[in-house]
Amino acid sequence: MIENLNVRELGERLEKYLHPVSASKEPEILFALAATAYENKIGENLENKIRDLDTKNYVKNFAERYSSAIETACKELSNDELKNFVIFGEKCINHYGSLPSGVSDLIIRLTEVKSGDIFLNVAGGSEICFKNEIPDDTNLIGIEQNISTCRIIYICSAVTGRSVQVRMKSVLEPGLDWLQANKVFINLPALNYRESGANVKEKIKTNPALMKIYGDKEPEVSVWNFVLSALESQMQPGKTVALLTNRDDLINDKGEYFRRGIVKNGRLEAVIALPEKIIHRFHKFYLMIFSQNNEKVKLVDASDIYRDREKN
């Protein structure tokens, strides 16, 4: 597919067809429109391709209510435009779950996803799941915390034919290790801003792996809880890549206890500083790569390594 099509402009046109309905609180409605119109144009039925019951019912109800908008989209947009929006349209949604293409490409390279791997994508959205660089026989599993993103991923899965399992739960909850994922990506800002302090502590207390790390210490509200939970669920040998900001206990005293333990155990391989404003204009972003048996930690300053692309 042609990734540089202006998906923001396409999103505006799709929302115009739905007027007066706004997609700000229900972003999946744009994907339902684009996907339903695309499948209609190629003579297929989107609802029949969706595996998830909630998403299937959502798309069915959407098709019944917005037949006029679907007809307009079929007439005014090409097959390529509709399919490209379904695959790449998540970048239209202004939240931390939306990753620029260059960042998601780098994440896939750093996790070294290979044929037959089990790849756990935590709050990474559809941009990570449907990268061409991921082998077709990769077992893709998504962990998300909002129903809109789950629906978007299932809609994209139906259109592309790539199978993805999506679960709506917290990465802090126990039981992720049974997934046996050997490659993990975790979008920490997307998680960190959706969990209240009291809720985090309660979930930590139900997670034996995290409580073993804390020992007699009272659980703390820190982004490192999410990191540790992801690392504990990852099979070895393997790799985990975490995206975080300079606000996420990266260098402050609050995260020192966790950082020392991770480095001492040889789990931290590298820290990469990304270009400023590449994801959000107010924060600096970093990628942390975790693997096994690391005697040294590589510090990579990539803040000036980027090139401008046509804005999507």
Side-chain angles (χ1 to χ4, degrees), residues 27-38 46 58-59 62-63 70 85-86 152 155:
E28 64 267 41
I29 198 169
L30 297 179
F31 294 82
L33 174 55
T36 303
Y38 172 76
L46 176 64
Y58 176 84
V59 167
F62 169 84
I70 295 169
F85 182 83
V86 174
I152 289 170
I155 289 171

Side-chain angles (χ1 to χ4, degrees), residues 86-100:
V86 174
I87 299 173
F88 306 115
E90 194 180 43
K91 54 175 61 71
C92 296
I93 306 168
N94 188 24
H95 60 63
Y96 282 118
S98 304
L99 300 173

Side-chain angles (χ1 to χ4, degrees), residues 5-6 41 46 56 71 82 106 126 135 155 165 186 204 221 241 255 277 291 308:
L5 288 178
N6 195 323
K41 291 187 73 170
L46 176 64
K56 185 186 290 285
E71 184 178 349
L82 292 167
L106 178 60
S126 63
I155 289 171
Q165 302 176 52
I186 178 168
I204 291 171
V221 179
V241 174
K277 302 181 182 179
S291 53
D308 293 327

Side-chain angles (χ1 to χ4, degrees), residues 37-280:
Y38 172 76
E39 293 293 329
N40 285 358
K41 291 187 73 170
I42 65 172
E44 301 285 346
N45 185 292
L46 176 64
E47 182 187 336
N48 293 340
K49 295 182 176 181
I50 295 174
R51 298 172 54 192
D52 175 64
L53 182 59
D54 169 78
T55 308
K56 185 186 290 285
N57 290 334
Y58 176 84
V59 167
K60 179 181 179 180
N61 293 333
F62 169 84
E64 293 172 353
R65 293 181 60 189
Y66 298 101
S67 58
S68 178
I70 295 169
E71 184 178 349
T72 302
C74 287
K75 288 180 179 178
E76 297 191 5
L77 297 176
S78 69
N79 289 10
D80 275 350
E81 286 174 321
L82 292 167
K83 189 172 184 179
N84 271 273
F85 182 83
V86 174
I87 299 173
F88 306 115
E90 194 180 43
K91 54 175 61 71
C92 296
I93 306 168
N94 188 24
H95 60 63
Y96 282 118
S98 304
L99 300 173
S101 297
V103 175
S104 55
D105 289 343
L106 178 60
I107 289 166
I108 296 303
R109 289 197 294 270
L110 291 172
T111 50
E112 300 178 359
V113 181
K114 296 181 176 63
S115 179
D117 280 345
I118 300 176
F119 180 51
L120 179 61
N121 176 33
V122 182
S126 63
E127 178 69 25
I128 290 290
C129 290
F130 300 100
K131 280 293 182 183
N132 290 331
E133 292 79 5
I134 297 180
D136 290 337
D137 63 345
T138 302
N139 189 348
L140 291 169
I141 304 169
I143 299 292
E144 297 290 343
Q145 289 187 309
N146 71 83
I147 192 65
S148 292
T149 305
C150 292
R151 288 170 176 168
I152 289 170
I153 292 174
Y154 275 121
I155 289 171
C156 194
S157 174
V159 170
T160 61
R162 170 165 277 180
S163 178
V164 182
Q165 302 176 52
V166 189
R167 305 174 187 274
M168 196 168 74
K169 62 181 296 180
S170 171
V171 72
L172 295 179
E173 296 174 16
L176 288 183
D177 54 342
W178 73 270
L179 297 173
Q180 297 188 319
N182 62 328
K183 303 294 170 66
V184 179
F185 167 64
I186 178 168
N187 184 351
L188 290 164
L191 293 170
N192 200 27
Y193 295 104
R194 296 176 186 159
E195 294 266 10
S196 67
N199 195 26
V200 166
K201 288 185 177 182
E202 286 304 311
K203 287 180 179 177
I204 291 171
K205 290 177 181 179
T206 66
N207 190 321
L210 289 178
M211 288 308 298
K212 183 178 179 180
I213 294 171
Y214 274 102
D216 296 330
K217 284 172 57 68
E218 176 69 16
E220 297 180 13
V221 179
S222 169
V223 73
W224 289 99
N225 294 310
F226 300 98
V227 175
L228 292 168
S229 184
L231 289 177
E232 289 299 313
S233 68
Q234 177 224 297
M235 297 294 103
Q236 297 189 31
K239 280 207 172 186
T240 292
V241 174
L243 174 72
L244 69 168
T245 77
N246 56 333
R247 296 176 58 188
D248 289 333
D249 302 340
L250 179 65
I251 57 175
N252 60 24
D253 293 339
K254 189 175 182 180
E256 183 177 0
Y257 172 79
F258 305 104
R259 295 196 303 271
R260 284 184 180 277
I262 289 171
V263 173
K264 181 180 179 181
N265 292 330
R267 296 302 305 273
L268 183 57
E269 178 181 329
V271 180
I272 302 175
L274 298 175
E276 291 189 25
K277 302 181 182 179
I278 192 169
I279 299 175
H280 192 279

Side-chain angles (χ1 to χ4, degrees), residues 1-48:
M1 298 307 299
I2 307 169
E3 190 170 348
N4 64 355
L5 288 178
N6 195 323
V7 292
R8 290 192 183 277
E9 182 180 324
L10 290 173
E12 291 171 0
R13 293 177 67 180
L14 290 167
E15 190 161 11
K16 182 180 178 181
Y17 303 153
L18 292 165
H19 183 78
V21 177
S22 172
S24 59
K25 293 184 179 180
E26 190 183 340
E28 64 267 41
I29 198 169
L30 297 179
F31 294 82
L33 174 55
T36 303
Y38 172 76
E39 293 293 329
N40 285 358
K41 291 187 73 170
I42 65 172
E44 301 285 346
N45 185 292
L46 176 64
E47 182 187 336
N48 293 340

